[in-house]
Amino acid sequence: MTAQTLARPAVRRRGGDLAERLGPLGIAALAVVALITVAALCAPLITSHDPAVGSVLERYQGPSAEHLLGTDQSGRDLLARLLYGARTSLLGAAVVVLLAGTGGALLALVAAWFGRYVDALVGRVLDLLFAFPNLLLAILAVAVFGTGLGQATVALAVAYVPYTARVLRSVALRERRLAYVQAAELQGLSGLVVSVRHILPNIAPQILTGAAINFGYAMIDLAALSFLGLGVQPPTADWGLMVSQGKDSLLQGHPEQSVLAGVCIVVAVAAFSVIGERLGGRKAGGRA
Amino acid sequence: MNATAENVIEISGLCKRFDVGRGGSRRTVHALDDVSLTVADGSCLAVVGESGSGKTTLARVLVGLESADSGDVVLAGRPVARRPRRAERRARARDIQMVFQDPNGSLNRRRTVEAAIGEVLAVHHRVTGAEARRRIEELLGQVGLRPAHARALPGELSGGQQQRVAIARALAAEPRVIVLDEAVAALDVSVQAQVLNLLAEIRRDRRLTYLFITHDLSVVRQVSEEVVVMRQGRIVERGSTDQVLDHPRHPYTVLLRDSAPRPGWRPRLSGDADVREVEA
């Protein structure tokens, strides 16, 4: 064995691994996510309309060269609202997933490192959080701290922590018992160093998988909160809010707004779920 | 310093209990039951016994991964704390290191060989950068690996190579004692022989002391001068390797020796009778 044969296969194996695990459907889902992200980032380049400004004279217009997808009840361009709405929807879900992932990993590492009473305590706190339905917890938080995207996001993140923490705890616990962790502990390294330097990188794949799956759920829940008027406030563009605001138009025979925003939510959520499941090496859905 | 007279490990009256099970089936297991032993500087003591005899617990208490309920340990002339804290463990690690059974699990699969050994160098000897790379190369050379292996991940190495890295990592701390907990048990026989020879060589070159924990009597003769036999947390026999293996005095040692599979070994149907004999 030479130096070359030693260093090479690892890199190639990892790259091949990812594509292989995602499969054709997973790669398609990845492309959809990439497309939505690019569209959200490049919204001003794609449309020249302001998503918050419309003219009552142009309400409920059908698709035209000026308004590719038509306008809503306030005469605002639907394409612009969808594109800018992707920003709020993606950003909100990303923050939820980031906070929940960080909180969950932290709790998992603490529980796994100290074990015994600390582990039991963390377990009971998670049980307590589990007992509340996500949305109810979020609605409670919004009732206390007020409405808005920020409040809704933080509230949902808290509601998601037990899901991530539960999975990560079991993985971290498995790593904790492995000899490499004990070899590091034996050198007198601190729990923080061993957890961050040794255990965290080894549970990172599970953190990522959980994040991808939760991303879809977070989008739905945030959309639901916005739909209920507890999340994003008008006139900000948001998919959940668009579904909600479109219900009056629905009765007047203009279903476009609700339907378009609804389709966007479904497609995005499905794409994230597929990626998460493929990364996790599972067929059936379920929260991570 | 008189090497023959000095004991690098002195253990007296060591006890360790574990509570296992829950509710009605809850019971106490005496993993270590009044264990006393000494290991002379530069020697190799084999600890043999079946699974659950307490030999791994002995190793873990010795290196500070587990705290003893009672008893005293004197390591390299210094008494060590019964419930080691982090700083104490770090100081102890410079005297005693451990090589674990599972070669695959004893290395972090996401860190290179270089990082694994470098960490120990940095923690105990504050060696980093070019000096660390030079030391790592030297250590790899001592365990029969090439400098190119420094950049490999554990997954790219064979079981024997992984265990060599684990040995190099233990050597990096420049300890006086290395505890080898079933260190060759997971390797196949030819690799086992290579690693055992390597261990013997290193011990000679560095004047190290080994505590060699194994369930496998066939490797004992290859590595150690002395043997202790453990059963249910107690030491039942101690003596020179030849004496214990060829002329065992305790019936349990006889049973242990006779139950080890050898070429031409045939399972005996009346095997249960032997156990009862020993219990009585």
Side-chain angles (χ1 to χ4, degrees), chain A residues 1 3 6-7 10 13-14 175 178-180 182-190 197-198 201-202 205, chain B residues 60 63 65 86 89-90 93 97-98 100 105-111 119 123-124 146 148-149 153 156 169:
Chain A
M1 224 189 314
L6 259 173
R13 201 172 52 222
R14 273 182 220 147
E175 296 296 326
L178 285 177
Y180 77 86
Q182 304 188 359
E185 197 183 352
L186 188 149
Q187 311 301 342
L189 291 167
S190 70
R197 195 188 287 168
H198 289 284
N202 282 301
Chain B
R60 293 175 61 86
V63 297
L65 284 175
R86 189 163 67 81
R89 221 169 12 229
R90 180 173 295 199
Q97 284 282 325
M98 184 161 169
F100 296 84
S106 72
L107 299 171
N108 186 339
R109 57 194 176 277
R110 287 183 176 264
R111 285 166 70 83
E119 181 175 54
V123 168
H124 297 303
R146 278 171 302 101
H149 286 106
L153 286 170
E156 296 160 335
R169 178 178 60 188

Side-chain angles (χ1 to χ4, degrees), chain A residues 18 26 38 48 52 59 72 100-102 106 111 117 149 155 163 176 181 197 218 226 253 261 263 286 288:
Chain A
L18 188 68
V38 169
S48 55
R59 65 201 306 246
D72 67 1
T102 311
L106 195 71
Y117 306 110
L149 182 61
Y163 295 99
R176 175 77 175 87
V181 172
R197 195 188 287 168
S226 297
V263 167

Side-chain angles (χ1 to χ4, degrees), chain B:
Chain B
M1 190 167 65
N2 187 351
T4 49
E6 198 201 353
N7 291 323
V8 70
I9 302 174
E10 289 175 13
I11 297 171
S12 53
L14 209 58
C15 290
K16 173 75 184 174
R17 293 184 309 273
F18 289 107
D19 290 323
V20 295
R22 287 181 171 219
S25 63
R26 195 180 179 86
R27 64 201 171 87
T28 304
V29 172
H30 291 265
L32 294 177
D33 190 359
D34 194 19
V35 170
S36 302
L37 61 81
T38 55
V39 185
D41 194 17
S43 70
C44 176
L45 176 70
V47 180
V48 299
E50 60 191 359
S51 312
S53 59
K55 48 194 198 310
T56 292
T57 307
L58 177 66
R60 293 175 61 86
V61 168
L62 213 50
V63 297
L65 284 175
E66 210 95 64
S67 55
D69 295 331
S70 60
D72 297 301
V73 176
V74 178
L75 203 61
R78 280 200 309 270
V80 297
R82 199 170 294 153
R83 293 182 180 281
R85 305 197 64 82
R86 189 163 67 81
E88 214 274 329
R89 221 169 12 229
R90 180 173 295 199
R92 198 192 290 195
R94 283 176 208 135
D95 285 328
I96 188 164
Q97 284 282 325
M98 184 161 169
V99 175
F100 296 84
Q101 170 170 13
D102 174 20
N104 203 5
S106 72
L107 299 171
N108 186 339
R109 57 194 176 277
R110 287 183 176 264
R111 285 166 70 83
T112 59
V113 168
E114 201 167 31
I117 301 175
E119 181 175 54
V120 176
L121 287 173
V123 168
H124 297 303
H125 302 293
R126 308 206 173 283
V127 176
T128 50
E131 172 65 7
R133 273 195 295 279
R134 195 188 59 74
R135 286 283 298 136
I136 290 166
E137 255 181 51
E138 197 178 291
L139 285 162
L140 288 177
Q142 281 172 14
V143 296
L145 294 173
R146 278 171 302 101
H149 286 106
R151 292 198 314 278
L153 286 170
E156 296 160 335
L157 303 174
S158 68
Q161 287 173 329
Q162 287 171 348
Q163 206 62 322
R164 285 167 192 262
V165 174
I167 294 167
R169 178 178 60 188
L171 291 175
E174 291 172 26
R176 295 181 63 184
V177 183
I178 297 184
V179 177
L180 299 142
D181 183 13
E182 301 275 11
V184 296
L187 307 174
D188 60 49
V189 181
S190 62
V191 181
Q192 226 175 46
Q194 287 171 16
V195 174
L196 287 173
N197 287 337
L198 174 72
L199 285 170
E201 216 172 276
I202 292 171
R203 178 159 77 99
R204 217 175 33 242
D205 292 350
R206 294 196 161 214
R207 295 196 177 74
L208 283 165
T209 306
Y210 285 166
L211 192 71
F212 192 89
I213 289 166
T214 183
H215 67 278
D216 187 355
L217 293 178
S218 62
V219 302
V220 167
R221 222 187 279 266
Q222 283 184 62
V223 290
S224 65
E225 298 95 47
E226 278 200 296
V227 183
V228 296
V229 181
M230 283 188 76
R231 177 166 188 254
Q232 293 174 357
R234 290 178 160 274
I235 291 177
V236 296
E237 184 162 2
R238 171 169 194 164
S240 74
T241 306
D242 290 336
Q243 177 205 324
V244 172
L245 293 188
D246 296 332
H247 311 286
R249 286 193 306 262
H250 195 276
Y252 177 68
T253 315
V254 179
L255 172 66
L256 206 63
R257 191 188 63 168
D258 293 346
S259 50
R262 285 177 295 274
W265 177 81
R266 240 179 262 114
R268 271 195 302 175
L269 294 171
S270 58
D272 287 355
D274 292 307
V275 179
R276 251 177 266 124
E277 211 171 280
V278 174
E279 303 283 352

Side-chain angles (χ1 to χ4, degrees), chain A residues 69-140:
Chain A
L69 293 174
T71 58
D72 67 1
Q73 76 284 356
S74 306
R76 294 174 297 195
D77 185 68
L78 277 179
L79 180 65
R81 286 191 69 73
L82 280 180
L83 289 171
Y84 284 93
R87 288 182 165 187
T88 5
S89 299
L90 289 179
L91 192 69
V95 172
V96 169
V97 159
L98 196 74
L99 291 179
T102 311
L106 195 71
L107 281 176
L109 288 175
V110 166
W113 182 259
F114 293 103
R116 293 160 182 257
Y117 306 110
V118 178
D119 187 25
L121 183 73
V122 169
R124 291 298 88 74
V125 171
L126 294 184
D127 285 345
L128 206 70
L129 282 171
F130 264 123
F132 287 96
N134 291 344
L135 274 180
L136 218 57
L137 199 68
I139 289 168
L140 185 76

Side-chain angles (χ1 to χ4, degrees), chain A residues 50-77:
Chain A
D50 186 325
V53 177
S55 158
V56 245
L57 298 174
E58 294 183 347
R59 65 201 306 246
Y60 295 137
Q61 288 192 351
S64 63
E66 176 68 15
H67 301 288
L68 284 175
L69 293 174
T71 58
D72 67 1
Q73 76 284 356
S74 306
R76 294 174 297 195
D77 185 68

Side-chain angles (χ1 to χ4, degrees), chain A residues 238-280:
Chain A
D238 173 81
W239 291 349
L241 199 60
M242 285 176 75
V243 174
S244 161
Q245 294 194 322
K247 20 179 234 288
D248 300 330
S249 319
L250 209 67
L251 299 173
Q252 294 172 32
H254 298 286
E256 300 88 352
Q257 182 175 191
S258 290
V259 171
L260 286 171
V263 167
C264 284
I265 294 174
V266 169
V267 169
V269 169
F272 276 109
S273 297
V274 166
I275 294 172
E277 278 162 19
R278 292 300 159 103
L279 283 181

